[in-house]
Amino acid sequence: MRHVPPPAEELALLDHELVRLDARRAQLLDRRAWLLSVLRAPAEPPRPWAPAAPPAARPYAPAPPASPAHGTQNVLLVLGGLLLAVAAIAFTLFSWGEMGIAGRSAVLAAVTAGALVAPALLLRRALPSTAEAVAALALVLTVLDAIALHAVAAPGTDGLAFSAFASAVLAAVWTVYGLLLGRLRTPLPAAVVAAQLPLVFAAWASGASATGFGWALMVTAAADVAVASWCRGLAVRVTACAGAVVTGLASLALGLGLSVSADGVSGAVGPGALLLAGAVVAVAGAWRAPREPAVLGGVVGGFAAVAAVGGVPAAGLPWDRAVVVYLLCGAVLPLVLRFRMVPRPVAWGVLSASASVVVGAVLWAAPVVAAALLGPVSMTAGVWSGAPEGFRGALGLTVPWSESASSPVVLVVAAGLSAALHVRWPRTLPEKGWRATAGAGGAVLGCGAVLALLAVADAPYAVAVGVELLLVAALLALTVRRAADAIAVTFLGCALVAAVSVGLLGLAAEPATYAVSGALAVLFAGSATRSRVPAVRSVLACSSVMCAIAVAGAVGASLGWSAPHTAPLVLVVTAATVLLGARLRTPVVAASVELAGVFAAVVAVALAVTDAPFLALVLGLCGVLAAATALRPERRLVAGYPAAALFVAAAWVRLAASGVTDPEAYTLPVSLAAFAVGFVRRRRDPAASSWAAYGPALSMTMVPSLVVAWGDPHWLRPLLLGVAALVVTLVGARLRLQAPLVLGGSVLALDALHELAPHVVQVFDALPRWAPPALAGLLLLAVGATYEQRLRDARRVRESFGRMR
């Protein structure tokens, strides 16, 4: 039996089949159109045929491009409208005088009336583009009518006053015209543009003051904001927004200039009122705007409000106090967050304006803080030359202190505001790290306020040193009481910066140096023992070691010792870090302390570098300390090699200081003994590295001999050294040992270079100047052509070298 579906199902099947047929018909029509185009242009290669795709898939071929008729029509209409406008202007300017008054008026009136009526007829016939072009021409003709009316009917009136009246009338006429013909897109935006001029021309014609011009611009901006907020057309709203931005910013700039340059409070009231009105207009425009314009409007409103309210009392104050007034006004702006009716983007903009005002005030006070921090660097030029009477005498920088008297107040207010935001962050705002940033900023600003107060008040030298030490102690106490967060890191950073500043400040006098360096060493060490964060403990312990290095250097200077004689005192600090590193249980802290001790050793070597005997002594002591560190199993590999290198370097320096010209007599016995020790070690531990077993023995003799051979004019020493290096190299290659291969090959290459250098120089002098670049180019070409093979060879060499011991 044949199944007959229900009517609803059958109807769905029929609809689906009709859709499929329509899709197939569209594909066939597209193919037909393409075939016609191929027949009309036979030069174009035919595209291959493909089977039709199902309706659910993508179409057979891409949709044909839009017909260019519409674009061509628009271009022709625009060109025609421009030509007609140019013709009308030329007729008005050049052919106007050839006709009488009645004729001129009749011609312009007739043409304008026709141009105004024609768009309505064109719209009825579904010709919107043509109607748009004719309407634009009609608007231009109305402007020409206004010019003609002034020249004919009222030639004696003021041009500015007539322009104000004419622009207002044109704005009204174009508005009515655009509302009547709602499908036209040009008249209403043109009316908005014309509406920007009446009040400005009126203020200009009446000889208004700068404040009057500002109010004219502000009222115009308010009207633009109203249009942008309540009108529906996108073009009208965009044009009104642009006009509001231009006129509003011009008015605010004019008001700000008048407020800042006002002679007194009474002179700042008028500009303040203008700025306050600008703030209201900006916030009103941002109230219903999208997110980004709303934030921008809130920023402008916040800045305008600060300038309006703060400009009145600031007009009668010096600039340093005026900054405080503006800062206080900016600090009040966050109260807008308490009003829930304010849109969130507007509140964000106002808060951004407040933050910008605070940042600007802090930047104004920053030079004083920089002088207090960086000024003590001048103490390095006159160490222990005597303590100055006041804090400013130790800074060595020229700062207008009388004009910066309000810097501490600015920093205190900014620090208090940041701390308040950290303690009680508004619930209406997401944190996202901003709360921690506010707390960290409060800590930095608080420290800057203390330093600025010392500098502005010109505190006595002893008081300044004591206060800065107390500041470091307070910051360290706050650091060890907190977990490892951003605020703790900020406290630690401020403590380190303040410690460096007060340490430099203590260089003015000998007692101050001992007091400051010792106090800082104790503070950092005590804080390191109390902190529970390994990273913080490491930093504090390293800082304590640095202060101990300063104390050791000061002791040597007090005893009248030279820099080389002071170096062993500095090594006492390294010895203390070796002992301390062995007792510390936290590996990170122990490693940090030992690295700080290494830095102390480097300082000691740098101090002794001018005296060869003391340098040998210092290198030997460093080797002893490194060997003592290598006794610990976890430090054996890290400190063992440096210990051997230091002992070898100490021996070399001692030989050079003693004027030995034949170092082999001293180094060869030591090398033989060291080689025997290394051989025994390799017998007991075949996996031991050849660098640990044979490196010290080989370098003990070969390196000093190479240094002497480079200055030896005879041939015997370079020959013997080359033969010995060749033997060592061959033995290293045969036994697959890295140390003999690398050391022997390096010494052999340098010895050969020393012997061949004069001949190479003669060859290069004999060659023409173009030959070396040409040879270099050929070498580069050869290497480039065989780059892959050279890369494989280098990889094989590296692998073979890595398998050696």
Side-chain angles (χ1 to χ4, degrees), residues 239-677:
T239 307
C241 286
V245 170
V246 174
T247 55
L249 291 181
S251 177
L252 290 177
L254 192 58
L256 181 61
L258 294 174
S259 178
V260 172
S261 61
D263 296 333
V265 176
S266 59
V269 173
L274 177 61
L275 291 171
L276 191 60
V280 174
V281 171
V283 173
W287 202 272
R288 301 181 58 185
R291 180 178 179 81
E292 289 77 10
V295 173
L296 182 60
V299 171
V300 174
F303 278 128
V306 171
V309 178
V312 176
L317 298 175
W319 177 243
D320 58 328
R321 299 181 183 179
V323 172
V324 178
V325 174
Y326 286 117
L327 176 61
L328 293 175
C329 294
V332 176
L333 287 181
L335 294 178
V336 73
L337 297 176
R338 292 182 174 272
F339 300 97
R340 297 183 179 180
M341 64 182 71
V342 180
R344 185 65 59 82
V346 178
W348 266 105
V350 174
L351 189 62
S352 301
S354 174
S356 301
V357 172
V358 174
V359 170
V362 170
L363 291 177
W364 172 81
V368 177
V369 181
L373 283 176
L374 303 178
V377 177
S378 61
M379 292 288 99
T380 57
V383 178
W384 294 357
S385 59
E389 295 182 359
F391 182 52
R392 296 181 191 173
L395 300 183
L397 295 176
T398 303
V399 178
W401 301 108
S402 60
E403 300 177 3
S404 305
S406 301
S407 299
V409 180
V410 170
L411 294 172
V412 167
V413 173
L417 183 61
S418 299
L421 286 175
H422 173 70
V423 173
R424 191 172 182 179
W425 186 259
R427 296 181 179 179
T428 56
L429 299 179
E431 291 190 12
K432 294 182 180 179
W434 292 105
R435 183 174 184 177
T437 303
V444 175
L445 294 172
C447 297
V450 173
L451 297 176
L453 181 60
L454 293 176
V456 170
D458 196 14
Y461 176 78
V463 174
V465 172
V467 171
E468 289 200 24
L469 285 176
L470 291 176
L471 177 62
V472 174
L475 291 171
L476 291 177
L478 293 173
T479 300
V480 299
R481 293 182 61 182
R482 296 188 63 91
D485 56 1
I487 300 178
V489 173
T490 304
F491 283 144
L492 180 58
C494 292
L496 294 176
V497 173
V500 172
S501 179
V502 71
L504 294 174
L505 192 64
L507 296 178
E510 183 177 358
T513 301
Y514 284 107
V516 171
S517 301
L520 290 177
V522 173
L523 286 174
F524 283 119
S527 302
T529 58
R530 296 188 59 184
S531 178
R532 299 180 181 178
V533 182
V536 175
R537 292 181 63 191
S538 301
V539 174
L540 294 174
C542 293
S543 302
S544 180
V545 173
M546 299 302 166
C547 295
I549 295 173
V551 173
V555 170
S558 298
L559 295 176
W561 293 354
S562 61
H565 290 75
T566 307
L569 287 177
V570 179
L571 285 180
V572 174
V573 179
T574 305
T577 59
V578 172
L579 297 176
L580 187 61
R583 296 179 62 87
L584 291 174
R585 298 180 180 179
T586 306
V588 176
V589 181
S592 302
V593 171
E594 289 171 351
L595 287 176
V598 172
F599 177 77
V602 172
V603 172
V605 172
L607 291 174
V609 74
T610 57
D611 192 335
F614 263 90
L615 179 59
L617 173 63
V618 170
L619 290 174
L621 293 175
C622 291
V624 172
L625 295 175
T629 304
L631 294 177
R632 297 160 54 191
E634 69 275 11
R635 295 286 187 266
R636 185 164 298 165
L637 294 178
V638 177
Y641 293 111
L646 288 170
F647 283 132
V648 172
W652 293 344
V653 174
R654 182 68 262 182
L655 292 176
S658 301
V660 176
T661 57
D662 297 323
E664 294 83 1
Y666 299 91
T667 59
L668 191 58
V670 179
S671 295
L672 292 176
F675 185 82
V677 174

Side-chain angles (χ1 to χ4, degrees), residues 667-698:
T667 59
L668 191 58
V670 179
S671 295
L672 292 176
F675 185 82
V677 174
F679 180 76
V680 172
R681 181 180 179 184
R682 287 275 299 174
R683 289 289 298 272
R684 294 181 178 179
D685 184 13
S689 174
S690 62
W691 290 99
Y694 305 126
L698 294 174

Side-chain angles (χ1 to χ4, degrees), residues 81-172:
L82 288 177
L83 291 176
L84 289 175
V86 170
I89 295 172
F91 170 75
T92 305
L93 296 178
F94 302 107
S95 301
W96 190 253
E98 300 177 1
M99 300 178 66
I101 296 178
R104 285 177 277 185
S105 302
V107 170
L108 274 180
V111 173
T112 303
L116 290 173
V117 173
L121 301 177
L122 293 172
L123 289 175
R124 292 179 182 177
R125 299 199 175 194
L127 298 174
S129 299
T130 308
E132 202 74 48
V134 176
L137 176 62
L139 299 182
V140 175
L141 290 176
T142 55
V143 177
L144 297 178
D145 285 334
I147 297 174
L149 182 63
H150 177 263
V152 175
T157 58
D158 186 12
L160 293 175
F162 186 84
S163 298
F165 174 77
S167 57
V169 172
L170 288 176

Side-chain angles (χ1 to χ4, degrees), residues 23 27 51-61:
Q27 294 173 1
R58 64 181 180 87
Y60 157 76

